[in-house]
Amino acid sequence: MKTYDLLQQTYAALSGNKVRSGLTMLGIIIGIASVIAMTAIGQGAQNSIQASIQSIGSNLIIVMPGTERGPGFQVSAGRGSAQSLTIDDANAIAANVTNIEAVAPQVSGRYQVTAPGTNTNTSVDGVTSSYTTVRNVEVADGSFISDQDVAGNARVAVLGPTTSDDLFGTGSEAVGQQIRIKGQPFRVIGVTVSKGGSGFSNADDVIYVPISTAQLLLSGNKYVNTINVSANDAQNTTQVQNDITSLLLERHHISNPASADFNTLNQSDIIATASSVTGTFTTLLAAVAGISLLVGGIGIMNMMLTTVTERTREIGLRKAIGAKKKDINRQFLTEAVMLTFLGGLIGVALGWLGSFAITKLGVLDTSVSLDSVLLAFGVSAAIGIVFGYYPAKKAAEMSPIDALRYE
Amino acid sequence: MIEVQNITKVYKTEDVEFSALRGVSFTIKDGEFVAIMGPSGSGKSTLMHILGCLDTPTNGKYLLDGKDVSTLSDDELADIRKNKIGFVFQAFNLLPRTTVMANVMLPLVYDGINAEEREKRAEKALASAGLDKEYFTHLSNQLSGGQIQRVAIARALVNQPSLILADEPTGNLDSKTSEIVLGTFQKLNTELGRTVVLITHEQDIAEHADRILFIKDGLLEERGTHVKRVANHNAEEETAGTVGSLASPSKIRVLPDHKNNKGEARLPTLPAKK
């Protein structure tokens, strides 16, 4: 039997009962559409999380103080609480480690900030000019902290857009105004571009001051909280991270890496962790959608069994005029696969439209991957074969005599 | 040519054995028109299934065109059915909502013959079966009973089988339509030289054949009723007349036999054609 004839017969059989074929297909359509939409949403979430991690900086390695070490015993006062890093460490990294784009030491703290008529409590970061390179900070108005500001312990401040709005009101000019941080007067010289984000980890609710001024007037010591290092290429981040670790171990006279008084964090590690979390969620969503696909498959099997019973006499006739088992088997299997394949096609289109709608509504930038489309097609065809197999086998193995006599 | 040698068929259920055929032997020559006749339960359906290669005998040999088909597998039997046998059923068994042409072409589809050749052969078969050309594109459920049976006959003819098996072909038709359908079989036999085996339980239907094989309780009693037929090589309109002239002499000879059946009085048995 030729393929063309097989397809024509399949078309005739399926179009002979359009409503039933349509309803049966609906199960597969819903299943495939939800698999496509769910993976697209998961992929979108993953992309958005990765993008926000990328926005922290490029090829970033963060060095933070480790657990505080006492003589002979260990006082665990929390990670990052120790005072072990200095500006000299940052300068040593810049001088000795290769493949580095920029090094930006940072002193952080939360202080009460006042402007005429208002006050707020926000994080104040003492930084150097290279902070803009390392953490992707851009200035919208005015200028950022310069090397001269750091050298001269200048009392200048750059505000995040949220802080600027909190202190001076939305839309009003902040540059040139005076504010007080921990009671010390500072002049506002710039406002940064919004980085997005909200709530607890709002990257826009921040004030930048020169690191020297922060050490002198705010923290009152020579230590730094963070050293941000940016590698010149994503491929070099691991090498840079390893070099920093050995350099600082040497500088701090620590022989055992396990008892290091600092930690290094690689941005690509963070991304990998976040990706694996979102990946798990995507799989979970797809699995739930997959269950609906399974239900759709059972619907196909149910319909095919009904069809085989209804068309018993036709099967008998086909056998009488010379159809072999494999001809009958192929005929019913093709019908089942055609149902799931068409269902898959419509399902992919619907899932795609759904993802597109979600993107258009601005909920999330979804992304339909080619992989998920191919997978959906493969799965729908496989469902046709798996759930069409038993009814087709049943049809093929009918005795022509019994089938012809069937009432 | 069909040669059946002492075939038996035993149906087994869990605890009951039932012999539908208990040793049947006969020969049908090429170009013969034979009726197999018997009451229900006589084993004629079982015999028909075996002749049609839908089933195999429990014992005995069935030679079709010199080939023993009694021990073939299901798929080999399917090939024999495809190439050598054409079926006409009582219940017609056309595909519903499908055109006449598509129905007739169906056996050729399984033979892998291309569409152009299929159409040519189907049109020829339909013409032989005596269906008017205007109905070729009708759907099968738009036809009358007689027309449907002609389509079924065309379908049986289309693969040029050596044997046409008709199982109660007039069972669902009125007497007038039956005559037309039987006339078609006779025409196929006389004009195209097809071997036709007609299975029926009605004497007057069986009488359209050259020879009648009577079957009862799984055994054959060949009483051999030969009908001298008037050759008809002319156009279709003469068919009705031919059928009439065919039916009359046979009735004269056979009806008394039929009536006297219970009284054990029979016409002398004629020797079977060998």
Side-chain angles (χ1 to χ4, degrees):
Chain A
M1 191 167 186
K2 289 182 174 164
T3 314
Y4 172 77
D5 295 319
L6 189 65
L7 291 178
Q8 202 175 32
Q9 279 187 6
T10 306
Y11 171 76
L14 294 183
S15 61
N17 208 331
K18 287 194 185 73
V19 175
R20 193 163 70 182
S21 302
L23 286 174
T24 315
M25 248 194 280
L26 200 59
I28 297 295
I29 293 172
I30 292 171
I32 292 286
S34 45
V35 167
I36 295 279
M38 289 302 156
T39 50
I41 288 169
Q43 193 67 45
Q46 188 160 350
N47 291 348
S48 125
I49 288 169
Q50 277 186 6
S52 62
I53 294 171
Q54 291 286 7
S55 78
I56 295 170
S58 44
N59 310 324
L60 193 64
I61 294 119
I62 297 169
V63 186
M64 288 191 299
T67 325
E68 193 168 10
R69 269 156 40 91
F73 62 93
Q74 197 153 334
V75 176
S76 194
R79 214 157 273 249
S81 66
Q83 296 187 320
S84 58
L85 298 174
T86 62
I87 289 190
D88 290 339
D89 286 331
N91 292 337
I93 292 169
N96 297 313
V97 178
T98 52
N99 296 328
I100 281 180
E101 176 92 23
V103 177
Q106 182 184 345
V107 175
S108 313
R110 278 192 90 83
Y111 302 103
Q112 201 67 21
V113 180
T114 57
T118 53
N119 78 91
T120 181
N121 187 290
T122 188
S123 61
V124 178
D125 291 344
V127 296
T128 61
S129 60
S130 54
Y131 190 83
T132 49
T133 319
V134 175
R135 300 296 288 257
N136 292 347
V137 175
E138 286 175 62
V139 176
D141 193 14
S143 59
F144 199 71
I145 313 289
S146 68
D147 291 337
Q148 285 88 341
D149 293 333
V150 176
N153 299 342
R155 294 178 178 225
V156 290
V158 175
L159 307 185
T162 307
T163 316
S164 170
D165 292 348
D166 286 351
L167 292 173
F168 302 108
T170 311
S172 60
E173 179 67 40
V175 176
Q177 303 261 25
Q178 288 286 329
I179 57 168
R180 282 176 180 273
I181 304 170
K182 208 183 166 190
Q184 302 289 340
F186 283 82
R187 184 168 53 89
V188 177
I189 58 164
V191 176
T192 62
V193 172
S194 172
K195 279 185 140 190
S198 58
F200 189 69
S201 62
N202 190 346
D204 294 338
D205 189 7
V206 70
I207 297 174
Y208 302 107
V209 297
I211 189 165
S212 50
T213 320
Q215 284 177 326
L216 194 70
L217 299 175
L218 304 178
S219 69
N221 60 45
K222 64 183 173 73
Y223 297 106
V224 299
N225 297 94
T226 315
I227 300 173
N228 303 292
V229 182
S230 161
N232 60 4
D233 193 283
Q235 290 175 339
N236 295 329
T237 52
T238 313
Q239 170 252 317
V240 170
Q241 186 181 15
N242 292 340
D243 288 359
I244 290 170
T245 306
S246 42
L247 177 73
L248 290 183
L249 285 174
E250 195 189 316
R251 280 178 59 83
H252 294 186
H253 309 293
I254 297 162
S255 52
N256 180 8
S259 54
D261 58 357
F262 61 90
N263 294 305
T264 56
L265 255 176
N266 189 330
Q267 192 182 18
S268 47
D269 292 346
I270 304 171
I271 291 174
T273 309
S275 296
S276 91
V277 171
T278 51
T280 308
F281 272 101
T282 307
T283 312
L284 187 75
L285 288 172
V288 171
I291 290 171
S292 70
L293 207 51
L294 187 76
V295 174
I298 294 169
I300 296 268
M301 187 153 167
N302 195 8
M303 183 215 157
M304 288 313 293
L305 283 173
T306 313
T307 304
V308 167
T309 309
E310 269 182 4
R311 285 157 66 188
T312 299
R313 291 182 71 140
E314 180 195 322
I315 295 165
L317 167 79
R318 284 177 186 274
K319 287 199 150 193
I321 61 172
K324 290 187 179 141
K325 274 184 188 173
K326 67 165 202 263
D327 293 320
I328 302 292
N329 201 328
R330 211 182 292 165
Q331 183 189 349
F332 285 94
L333 206 53
T334 308
E335 275 179 35
V337 171
M338 191 58 83
L339 275 178
T340 55
F341 186 76
L342 286 179
L345 207 67
I346 300 170
V348 165
L350 273 183
W352 207 316
L353 273 177
S355 315
F356 184 70
I358 289 170
T359 306
K360 276 280 158 197
L361 288 171
V363 183
L364 190 71
D365 269 336
T366 60
S367 132
V368 177
S369 68
L370 184 66
D371 283 357
S372 68
V373 172
L374 291 178
L375 187 76
F377 267 127
V379 166
S380 61
I383 281 177
I385 293 170
V386 169
F387 290 98
Y389 176 79
Y390 174 67
K393 187 169 179 272
K394 200 178 156 199
E397 286 181 356
M398 273 182 190
S399 135
I401 301 166
D402 296 340
L404 279 168
R405 278 202 196 131
Y406 184 84
E407 293 293 331
Chain B
M1 173 160 109
I2 290 171
E3 200 177 338
V4 173
Q5 297 171 357
N6 200 28
I7 57 168
T8 61
K9 182 72 189 179
V10 180
Y11 291 109
K12 276 184 191 164
T13 54
E14 276 169 30
D15 41 21
V16 189
E17 269 193 21
F18 170 69
S19 293
L21 294 175
R22 300 185 292 162
V24 174
S25 304
F26 59 88
T27 307
I28 296 172
K29 287 186 176 165
D30 276 345
E32 255 194 299
F33 185 178
V34 176
I36 295 175
M37 192 193 145
S40 51
S42 59
K44 67 180 191 302
S45 292
T46 307
L47 186 58
M48 196 277 291
H49 292 148
I50 291 171
L51 287 180
C53 292
L54 289 165
D55 207 350
T56 50
T58 312
N59 271 307
K61 265 189 170 183
Y62 169 27
L63 302 172
L64 180 62
D65 287 341
K67 194 185 175 191
D68 187 2
V69 296
S70 48
T71 54
L72 296 181
S73 71
D74 284 356
D75 277 354
E76 287 168 321
L77 287 178
D79 268 336
I80 299 276
R81 293 198 292 271
K82 185 169 73 186
N83 298 322
K84 298 200 166 174
I85 296 163
F87 286 96
V88 180
F89 300 101
Q90 174 177 9
F92 319 130
N93 286 325
L94 295 193
L95 296 185
R97 299 178 298 277
T98 309
T99 63
V100 165
M101 282 295 280
N103 264 295
V104 175
M105 289 189 292
L106 193 61
L108 302 177
V109 167
Y110 286 109
D111 227 353
I113 290 165
N114 70 45
E116 210 178 316
E117 175 72 15
R118 263 188 253 160
E119 272 177 42
K120 228 191 280 172
R121 287 211 212 165
E123 277 171 14
K124 216 174 128 193
L126 279 165
S128 303
L131 191 76
D132 288 339
K133 214 169 176 136
E134 59 176 302
Y135 296 112
F136 286 11
T137 51
H138 278 48
L139 296 180
S140 56
N141 40 334
Q142 295 171 332
L143 302 178
S144 71
Q147 287 168 330
I148 288 175
Q149 201 56 304
R150 282 169 183 232
V151 175
I153 292 169
R155 185 181 61 196
L157 276 177
V158 79
N159 55 351
Q160 294 159 334
S162 38
L163 170 65
I164 294 172
L165 261 181
D167 183 16
E168 304 271 9
T170 57
N172 285 359
L173 301 175
D174 60 59
S175 57
K176 195 178 159 216
T177 320
S178 295
E179 285 299 321
I180 296 169
V181 167
L182 288 167
T184 311
F185 279 116
Q186 282 172 328
K187 257 183 65 167
L188 294 179
N189 179 245
T190 52
E191 290 180 14
L192 300 175
R194 298 280 174 211
T195 312
V196 179
V197 174
L198 182 74
I199 286 100
T200 182
H201 64 275
E202 289 171 278
Q203 178 89 38
D204 55 336
I205 302 292
E207 277 154 22
H208 288 79
D210 297 343
R211 183 155 65 101
I212 303 178
L213 300 171
F214 293 94
I215 185 166
K216 199 180 174 191
D217 297 332
L219 286 169
L220 211 62
E221 18 184 302
E222 194 167 343
R223 286 174 276 184
T225 312
H226 282 273
V227 179
K228 268 272 172 270
R229 292 219 258 134
V230 179
N232 174 23
H233 298 289
N234 287 326
E236 207 181 352
E237 59 229 43
E238 283 185 36
T239 308
T242 314
V243 169
S245 66
L246 285 171
S248 319
S250 66
K251 264 177 194 153
I252 294 163
R253 282 211 269 166
V254 180
L255 276 178
D257 173 53
H258 180 62
K259 277 179 182 162
N260 295 341
N261 215 355
K262 282 159 199 152
E264 305 286 303
R266 286 174 192 167
L267 285 176
T269 304
L270 293 178
K273 274 201 272 184
K274 282 265 157 87

